[in-house]
Amino acid sequence: MKKLIFGAIAFTLGISSSFAQLSLNGHFYGEEALKFYSYGNYGSARSQGMGGAFTALGGDLSSSYINPAGLGFYNKSEFTISPIFTTTNTTSNYIDNSTKLSASNMNIGQIGVVFSNRGVGTRKKRTAWSISYNTLANFNNDYSYSGSNKRSSISDYFAERATQRGISSENLNEEFNTTTRLASNTTALAYQAYLIDPIQGGGYLASELSTPVDQKGNVSEAGNLGQINVGYGINYDDKTYIGASLGIQNLNYSQLTDLTEKFPNGVIFNGFTFGDELLVKGTGLNLTVGAIMKLSDNIRVGANITSPTSMRVNETYTSYVAYDQKPNTFESDEQELFTVPNDFKYRISSPLKANLGTSIFLPKKLGVVSIEAEYVGYNMMNIKDKEDNRWSTDQKRGIQSEFKDVINFKAGGELRFGVARVRAGLNYLGDPRKNSNAYNTSSSLIGTLGAGVRNNRFFADISYSRTSRDFAFTPYNLSNETDYESATLKQTKGTVGISFGTFF
């Protein structure tokens, strides 16, 4: 039983929407599906340098998952590895205060091998099969925000949530296991940490009412969406190329967040930190089929379609609070408390994707220009818990009301100067949100540059792309929208891709 030694004057607050951090109660999982399946520019440095416009081109390891028909262009076997270096700069603005943070990381963008074989018979000129690993999405992202808040504390959010639940203090005590010292939810956690108190007549109030509240928050994301592809392509008559590829996806994602509040005029607390940890792991399968036709020696057209990935996901969510109370305020044997790890299993279906493109080769083998359109069916994403049909239906309705299908455009070119290559590309990525203003999002452009050298034995390529985006992060929500703020963020990301390969 809690024992409060030092009391405070109380008043009643209203009810609010759900907490902005990830939570299993009432959370809309379409946001995670969008995060996991919004790919940018990826693949080999050659593919990245040309803006990913490879649907009708082929002859690159990236064909194994962009359009496996492109494997039919291989006349030699090949081994390729492509490390990726990323630098991110983020500026956040929160309550009239600006915070800047820079971070960098390296990962393997692509690695794999293609085995080319002579065809059988008069029509089948070549066959090739490949096995590769590809990083489709890199989630590494860190940012901070801080400000002096004269209107509210995250304790107000917990007080509103406890009031909304209509739960008694006795029941909140029962939601804390005195043996394991773990709370079953964040409301019970806040109560056991003395962040909220019951008030006469019902409801709850933040126990520390002093202002200002000096707030500093951190968000750290890590992980990636990787895919192993086993692909096969066939060359018929040096005019028709068809292929298929099986994709085995592996999802690893973590998000660590914390919000530290300090009270310069505190009566009960010097300060406290509330934080949470989300871990997501998943595996899934998809299938890509495609074709490329040579209309002439200089013109190719290509098309492919990638089925939705059916992924089984396991998610674990844990929260904690660490507090520093004033002397002679309340009795406490601990300064840090945790919730029970909340495990949840569900299935995600990714968007259907389809590409249609053309490649035009310049006279005298001076180079190539490729353009294409990509359809992404975000509105067809699905989140499902087979044990809870009502929850699954709510998630599907949420996806259909929040997201729309988009058409992305890609263009790229390569000029050849002997063994040297120079490349450039451009991606237009449509905004999948129906209400872009509410999320501070918009369509985006990715510009790319690249260069390389290539002979009969080996090749080396380098690419650079730069993207920027605006987004927002809300530490907590309250019923009165003037009592809380969101951190608005501007982020730029520079990516350098390097590919090394050898023919055998």
Side-chain angles (χ1 to χ4, degrees), residues 46-64:
R46 183 187 180 205
S47 172
Q48 291 184 59
M50 293 182 63
F54 257 70
T55 295
L57 194 54
D60 188 272
L61 183 61
S62 301
S63 300
S64 62

Side-chain angles (χ1 to χ4, degrees), residues 18-32 278 315 391 395:
S18 62
F19 184 35
Q21 309 287 4
L22 299 176
S23 147
L24 296 179
N25 297 321
H27 179 66
F28 176 43
Y29 278 77
E31 294 298 325
E32 278 70 81
L278 174 69
E315 184 172 294
W391 181 88
Q395 296 295 315

Side-chain angles (χ1 to χ4, degrees), residues 4-6 193-194 207-208 210 262-272 323-332 335:
L4 183 63
I5 298 177
F6 195 97
Y194 304 92
S207 58
E208 179 60 72
S210 67
K262 294 186 180 299
F263 303 91
N265 303 317
V267 178
I268 297 177
F269 288 103
N270 293 314
F272 61 80
Y323 51 94
D324 176 20
Q325 80 261 30
K326 292 283 187 179
N328 303 318
T329 52
F330 53 81
E331 293 178 356
S332 176
Q335 299 298 309

